[in-house]
């Protein structure tokens, strides 16, 4: 059953579901009638802390403020979408530390990006305390390295690379390392036009559009003020999604994380869910095994080597160089298993460590267990400070610091006091608390807001959000967030939309989780209850149980909400995005529960067409799709495919479905369902966003995707339509689909 969860834990009364619906109704703002309901445009216009990736759903909650070397100032960037201009506007804000907790921002600059790239990201202070370096993108321009001088206000573009920069690092002597997107290569050349192209590892989408690019990023080294660049080469592909560059202070060495190749079989013994998941699928020669490791590049010789024969994590900011560049610290790394002592092997299987690696001679020294974040290596005392908080969701007032000192006899834990010469700047937020930038009082740990990012929210009527927990039929515990309509009335049955693929109980989100397809608050504003579910189960991921486990979770959620009299089981919709597109398509072809409408967007679906389409990027045998179906799609395996792969069961689909495809690869990947359902004269609609990203960034793309979600579910679950003149053709199509639905459900 469901249970309501508060800050102090799950509240269970006599083993019975106790939803806070009475509280929700009682706490509804008496002035709600005078407030505006939340729209998709409000969602897009929301101001948030700008992170390194504009398509990341949740903005940083901590560690985003960058202090000047003398601690007198700090900066961070904020970002918001502009639905009128179809831009993402990013501003760099400067504050005086002495003015806290009443600090007011000084806007240094604003970059408006009309692409999918971040306007401002990756902030770094120069040693002079007067210069700030950052990655910037204006209009449709590529991302380059910029600087701004505070005293003069002068903004300079420091690089003019042919493709967009993804990350950079600076040394004390003016060297710059940067990662850049790989350049595209034409496939249709004069020789190909004459002799044809012998296809080997090329992707079908690339062949159709006539160009290709390598999946891994390029690495370069240059010196400030110089036009010369040095190309750097790594052992493994530098395409992890974690593009951090760790340049030694003297500029001699660079540490990066790369994708592992020829992974040692012993790595499967690490007690890590992500590593074990990767080992369930035997990757082919062109596949990314999704296991990382550290590499060390010697800038002087151009050589690269594996730094440690063990997996690294997907965590950022886990490397810290010693002030003299003779060693570095890795935080949260695994240690090698190729040793003789059985007890040490067992300990290393289940623990991550903080270690120092000296370069000359090469030696690994254990400092501590765990995975704290490194903060600072004091060159005077040889004390290293760590932050024990594990992730962005932990409360800003729960900071705990750990300190170790390096002496001639080794590393010793010391009580070095707090490294609090710079105050803690964090985001204060909650499920029903819009984000505010705050300072944490070092003495009382009280969080004091000083910047309201979205004062316009005072004029909006939000639906209350509650964290909930329940169990499926097999006793598995499940969690999610329930969005109530602003005028929720206990005892009234509402339509329900299930949004899949994750839930963060510590963050404020208008969409629910991602910026693609999801629109929780706008749906709630239209009188629809929304359940944002955490439904990625790593113990069954990439197994034949994966989709069925998710189906059981959705069915149990609907059943419990129906039993509590909150929802109308005849008006239930569901959204699948990315991985969970497979779950939704599986539900529509295997579940006995009826769903009145569905949306799938840019996703994996374990279909035969995707199986062939991605043969060059997923191993043809023992592939990811083979893993979830249970067998290859040939010969004796075909009966299993016919019963499990959703694409072979389209005749069973009785739910109107809206497909959102993003980019050419997505369009091809979604074509099996669109074509098949069209041939069967079943209600299906397809919207194509040719230049969007997987998690949408550009306002007009989001308006089409998330706005389409609101229109689709209001039409099928409530019989409502938006009378805007530009949507007339949309409703003409959907009315025709209603007719198809009647015909397809009629007996032969």
């Amino acid at each position: 059953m469901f249970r309501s969860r508060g800050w102090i834990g799950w509240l269970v009364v006599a083993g019975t579901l106790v939803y806070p619906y009475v509280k929700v109704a009682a706490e509804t703002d008496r002035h709600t009638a005078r407030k505006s309901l939340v729209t998709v445009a409000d969602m897009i216009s929301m101001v948030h802390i700008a992170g390194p990736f504009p398509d990341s759903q949740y903005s940083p909650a901590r560690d985003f403020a960058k202090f000047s070397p003398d601690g007198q100032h700090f900066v961070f960037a904020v970002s918001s979408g502009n639905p009128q201009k179809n831009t993402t506007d990013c501003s760099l804000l400067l504050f005086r530390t002495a003015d806290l907790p009443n600090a007011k921002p000084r806007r240094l600059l604003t970059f408006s990006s009309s692409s999918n790239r971040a306007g401002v990201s990756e902030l770094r202070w120069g040693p002079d305390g007067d210069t700030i370096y950052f990655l910037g993108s204006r209009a449709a321009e590529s991302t380059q390295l910029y600087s701004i001088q505070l005293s003069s206000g002068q903004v300079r573009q420091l690089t003019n690379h042919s493709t967009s920069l993804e990350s950079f690092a600076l040394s004390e002597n003016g060297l710059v390392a940067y990662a850049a997107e790989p350049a595209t290569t034409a496939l249709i050349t004069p020789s190909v036009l004459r002799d044809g192209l012998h296809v080997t590892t090329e992707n079908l989408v690339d062949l159709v559009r006539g160009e290709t690019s390598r999946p891994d990023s390029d690495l370069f080294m240059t010196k400030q003020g110089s036009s010369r660049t040095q190309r750097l080469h790594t052992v493994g592909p530098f395409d992890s999604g974690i593009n951090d560059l760790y340049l030694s202070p003297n500029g001699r060495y660079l540490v990066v994380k790369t994708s592992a190749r020829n992974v040692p079989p012993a790595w499967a013994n690490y007690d890590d869910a992500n590593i074990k998941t990767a080992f369930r699928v035997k990757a082919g020669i062109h596949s990314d095994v999704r296991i990382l490791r550290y590499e060390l590049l010697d800038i002087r010789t151009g050589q690269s080597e594996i730094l440690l024969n063990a997996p690294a994590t997907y965590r950022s900011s886990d490397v810290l160089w010693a002030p003299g560049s003779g060693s570095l610290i890795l935080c949260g790394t695994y240690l090698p298993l190729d040793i003789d002592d059985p007890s040490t092997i067992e300990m290393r299987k289940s623990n991550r460590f903080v270690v120092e690696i000296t370069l000359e001679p090469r030696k690994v020294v254990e400092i501590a267990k765990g995975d704290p974040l490194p903060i600072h290596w004091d060159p005077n005392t040889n004390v290293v400070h760590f932050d024990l908080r594990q992730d962005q969701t932990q409360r800003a007032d729960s900071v705990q610091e750990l300190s170790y000192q390096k002496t001639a006899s080794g590393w010793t834990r010391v009580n070095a006091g707090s490294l609090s010469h710079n105050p803690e700047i964090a985001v204060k937020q909650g499920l029903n608390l819009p984000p505010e930038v705050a300072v944490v009082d070092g003495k009382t740990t009280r969080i004091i807001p000083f910047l309201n990012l979205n004062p316009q929210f005072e004029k909006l009527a939000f639906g209350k959000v509650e964290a909930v927990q329940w169990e499926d039929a097999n006793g598995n515990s499940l969690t999610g967030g329930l969005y109530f309509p602003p005028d929720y009335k206990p005892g009234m049955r509402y339509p329900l939309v299930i949004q899949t693929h994750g839930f963060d109980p510590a963050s404020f989100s208008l969409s629910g989780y991602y910026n693609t397809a999801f629109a929780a608050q706008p749906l709630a504003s239209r009188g629809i209850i929304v359940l944002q579910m955490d439904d990625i189960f790593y113990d069954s991921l990439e197994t034949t149980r994966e989709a069925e486990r998710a189906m059981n979770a959705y069915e149990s959620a609907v059943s419990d909400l129906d039993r509590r009299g909150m929802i109308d089981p005849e008006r239930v919709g569901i959204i699948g995005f990315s991985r969970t597109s497979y779950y939704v398509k599986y539900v529509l072809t295997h579940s006995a529960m009826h769903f009145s409408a569905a949306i799938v967007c840019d996703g994996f679906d374990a279909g035969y067409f995707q199986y062939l389409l991605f043969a060059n990027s997923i191993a043809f045998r023992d592939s990811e799709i083979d893993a979830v179906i249970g067998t290859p799609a040939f010969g004796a395996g075909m009966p299993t495919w016919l019963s499990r792969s959703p694409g072979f069961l389209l005749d069973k689909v009785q739910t109107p479905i809206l497909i959102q495809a993003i980019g050419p690869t997505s369009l091809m990947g979604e074509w099996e369902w669109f074509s098949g359902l069209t041939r069967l004269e079943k209600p299906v609609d397809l919207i194509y966003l040719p230049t969007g990203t997987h998690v949408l960034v550009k306002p007009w793309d989001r308006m089409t995707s998330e706005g389409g979600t609101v229109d689709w579910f209001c039409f099928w679950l409530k019989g409502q339509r938006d009378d805007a003149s530009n949507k007339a053709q949309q409703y003409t199509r959907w009315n025709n689909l209603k007719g198809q639905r009647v015909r397809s459900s009629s007996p032969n």
Side-chain angles (χ1 to χ4, degrees):
M1 66 183 137
F2 280 96
R3 289 171 286 173
S4 172
R5 188 175 75 172
W7 283 105
I8 60 173
W10 300 112
L11 176 62
V12 185
V13 179
T16 305
L17 167 70
V18 181
Y19 270 113
Y21 48 80
V22 175
K23 177 183 175 183
V24 169
E27 290 184 353
T28 299
D29 194 320
R30 69 181 65 183
H31 303 296
T32 293
R34 294 198 296 269
K35 292 187 175 184
S36 300
L37 297 176
V38 179
T39 67
V40 172
D42 293 321
M43 236 171 26
I44 295 170
S45 302
M46 177 180 168
V47 178
H48 58 87
I49 302 297
F53 305 108
D55 58 354
S56 177
Q57 162 60 12
Y58 287 106
S59 59
R62 52 187 286 262
D63 302 327
F64 56 86
K66 306 301 179 183
F67 283 85
S68 59
D70 60 10
Q72 294 186 17
H73 295 87
F74 63 92
V75 293
F76 58 82
V78 295
S79 180
S80 65
N82 187 324
Q84 290 73 39
K85 296 182 179 180
N86 194 30
T87 60
T88 302
D89 303 333
C90 198
S91 296
L92 182 61
L93 306 181
L94 174 73
F95 299 82
R96 275 174 34 93
T97 308
D99 293 339
L100 289 171
N102 300 306
K104 303 298 180 185
R106 170 188 163 195
R107 185 175 63 84
L108 298 178
L109 56 84
T110 296
F111 279 12
S112 294
S113 172
S114 57
S115 68
N116 293 308
R117 294 180 283 271
V120 175
S121 63
E122 299 283 329
L123 306 178
R124 309 273 196 281
W125 282 88
D128 60 2
D130 189 45
T131 306
I132 299 170
Y133 299 88
F134 63 95
L135 295 182
S137 175
R138 292 186 283 198
E141 297 173 354
S142 60
T143 300
Q144 301 296 329
L145 178 61
Y146 287 83
S147 69
I148 181 170
Q149 191 175 46
L150 301 188
S151 56
S152 66
Q154 181 184 16
V155 177
R156 297 175 57 212
Q157 182 176 330
L158 303 179
T159 60
N160 190 26
H161 196 75
S162 58
T163 63
S164 285
L165 273 59
E166 298 175 319
S167 59
F168 76 99
L170 303 170
S171 72
E172 293 176 348
N173 55 358
L175 294 178
V176 180
Y178 65 86
E181 296 175 354
T184 58
T185 302
L187 289 175
I188 310 303
T189 63
S191 63
V192 168
L193 293 174
R194 181 182 65 248
D195 303 323
L197 174 66
H198 180 69
V199 177
T200 54
T201 61
E202 291 77 13
N203 183 283
L204 176 59
V205 178
D206 291 343
L207 291 169
V208 171
R209 64 188 177 190
E211 63 180 17
T212 187
S213 63
R214 292 175 291 101
D216 48 312
S217 303
D218 292 326
L219 286 172
F220 297 90
M221 178 69 70
T222 188
K223 189 173 181 63
Q224 290 189 51
S226 173
S227 59
R228 297 180 58 185
T229 59
Q230 174 188 355
R231 179 77 175 269
L232 305 176
H233 299 278
T234 56
V235 176
F238 181 61
D239 181 40
S240 64
I242 302 296
N243 291 319
D244 289 358
L245 306 177
Y246 304 101
L247 187 61
S248 62
N250 64 5
R252 169 73 186 274
Y253 299 101
L254 179 69
V255 171
V256 298
K257 292 180 182 180
T258 61
S259 296
R261 287 289 188 262
N262 302 317
V263 178
W267 285 15
N269 295 318
Y270 287 108
D271 187 18
D272 183 288
N274 292 315
I275 294 176
K276 290 187 178 300
T277 297
F279 268 92
R280 290 190 189 124
V281 178
K282 296 180 181 179
I285 190 171
H286 307 297
S287 300
D288 184 349
V289 295
R290 293 172 294 181
I291 299 178
L292 307 181
R293 59 187 177 187
Y294 297 100
E295 282 194 39
L296 177 72
L297 289 81
D298 188 326
I299 306 302
R300 184 178 301 171
T301 66
Q303 298 299 309
S304 182
E305 59 180 311
I306 305 304
L307 183 61
L308 190 66
N309 185 30
T313 70
Y314 273 82
R315 195 176 182 190
S316 295
S317 304
D318 55 358
V319 177
L320 182 66
W321 278 97
S325 302
S327 67
L328 67 155
I329 287 176
L330 306 181
C331 292
T333 184
Y334 288 101
L335 289 178
L337 300 177
D338 52 352
I339 53 176
D340 296 327
D341 182 26
S343 61
T344 302
I345 291 175
E346 289 303 312
M347 182 176 62
R348 291 186 176 186
K349 286 180 181 179
S350 56
N351 291 280
R352 288 185 278 173
F353 296 85
V354 179
V355 300
E356 180 194 21
I357 300 182
T358 59
L359 300 185
E360 296 179 6
R362 184 67 57 85
K363 185 170 61 174
V364 179
V365 179
E366 293 183 25
I367 300 176
K369 289 183 183 179
D371 55 351
L373 284 172
I375 303 175
H376 177 69
W377 191 322
D378 191 320
N380 298 315
T381 63
N382 239 3
V383 171
V384 179
H385 298 266
F386 301 90
D387 184 345
L388 286 176
R389 286 179 299 178
Q390 299 300 304
D391 55 52
Q392 292 279 355
T393 65
Q394 289 184 262
R395 292 177 57 184
D397 60 350
S398 65
V399 60
Q400 298 180 53
E401 289 184 9
L402 177 70
S403 299
Y404 278 84
Q405 186 175 38
K406 184 179 181 180
T407 64
S409 59
W411 287 91
T412 305
R413 184 170 178 176
V414 295
N415 184 12
S418 175
L419 187 68
S420 57
H421 56 274
N422 291 332
E424 171 83 357
I425 306 298
V427 170
K428 182 180 181 180
Q429 62 177 321
L431 284 178
N432 296 288
L433 178 65
E436 296 179 291
V437 184
V439 59
V440 181
D441 188 302
K443 296 180 180 179
T444 67
T445 70
R446 190 164 63 96
I447 303 176
I448 308 171
F450 64 88
L451 181 64
N452 183 355
L453 293 173
N454 294 279
Q456 74 278 12
F457 282 179
E458 293 296 324
K459 299 179 181 179
L460 298 179
F462 293 107
K464 298 290 183 181
V465 187
E466 290 288 341
V468 291
Q469 184 182 39
W470 71 103
E471 293 181 351
D472 65 15
N474 297 317
N476 296 307
S477 180
L478 303 165
T479 59
L482 207 62
Y483 287 71
F484 293 86
D487 58 351
Y488 177 77
K489 296 178 176 59
M492 180 175 175
R493 289 183 176 267
Y494 290 83
L496 170 69
V497 168
I498 297 175
Q499 296 190 159
T500 59
H501 213 316
F503 168 64
D504 184 351
S507 297
F508 179 89
S509 178
L510 295 180
S511 63
Y513 205 68
Y514 290 104
N515 288 341
T516 302
F518 297 157
Q521 280 289 354
L523 284 169
S525 293
R526 300 290 291 272
I528 296 174
I529 288 178
V530 178
L531 176 61
Q532 180 66 57
M533 281 191 57
D534 192 0
D535 57 350
I536 304 295
F537 308 114
Y538 286 96
D539 58 349
S540 58
L541 196 64
E542 293 176 355
T543 72
T544 57
R545 307 185 309 275
E546 181 178 349
E548 185 175 3
R549 174 87 184 272
M551 181 175 71
N552 291 337
Y554 307 146
E555 291 174 344
S556 65
V558 173
S559 296
D560 276 22
L561 288 169
D562 175 30
R563 185 162 56 248
R564 303 304 167 181
M566 299 180 66
I567 60 109
D568 179 354
E570 299 300 318
R571 295 186 293 164
V572 177
I574 189 168
I575 305 174
F577 165 62
S578 192
R579 187 72 182 189
T580 60
S581 285
Y582 169 44
Y583 304 167
V584 169
K585 290 178 178 180
Y586 188 90
V587 164
L588 299 185
T589 53
H590 288 81
S591 177
M593 181 173 286
H594 175 67
F595 290 83
S596 298
I599 294 175
V600 292
C601 184
D602 196 22
F604 169 86
D605 67 8
Y608 187 67
F609 190 72
Q610 287 191 359
Y611 188 65
L612 301 181
L613 178 62
F614 302 123
N616 280 348
S617 57
I618 299 176
F620 200 69
R621 291 185 305 164
D622 301 316
S623 72
E624 186 171 0
I625 300 182
D626 289 341
V628 298
I629 299 299
T631 179
F634 303 99
M638 281 308 299
T640 302
W641 271 74
L642 293 174
S643 65
R644 291 183 180 174
S645 178
F648 285 118
L649 300 168
L650 296 181
D651 59 302
K652 298 183 180 296
V653 177
Q654 300 299 324
T655 299
I657 184 167
L658 172 63
I659 300 172
Q660 298 181 5
I662 304 174
T665 302
S666 174
L667 181 63
M668 289 189 177
E670 299 288 358
W671 197 256
E672 180 179 26
W673 269 64
F674 177 66
S675 178
L677 291 174
T678 299
R679 282 183 172 272
L680 292 171
E681 296 186 337
K682 291 180 178 289
V684 58
D685 199 14
L686 172 65
I687 185 72
Y688 178 45
L689 301 173
T691 62
T693 55
H694 186 53
V695 179
L696 294 173
V697 174
K698 291 185 289 188
W700 291 356
D701 285 342
R702 291 187 60 189
M703 189 67 73
T704 298
S705 174
E706 295 168 301
T709 291
V710 175
D711 291 346
W712 181 258
F713 286 123
C714 284
F715 180 82
W716 291 102
L717 303 185
K718 301 190 69 178
Q720 296 177 349
R721 55 178 289 165
D722 186 338
D723 291 329
S725 58
N726 63 332
K727 296 183 179 181
Q729 292 185 349
Q730 166 180 285
Y731 290 105
T732 298
R733 290 197 314 275
W734 294 355
N735 281 321
N736 290 335
L737 294 181
K738 271 191 173 180
Q740 285 187 351
R741 183 186 188 189
V742 172
R743 291 194 299 273
S744 65
S745 61
S746 300
N748 294 327

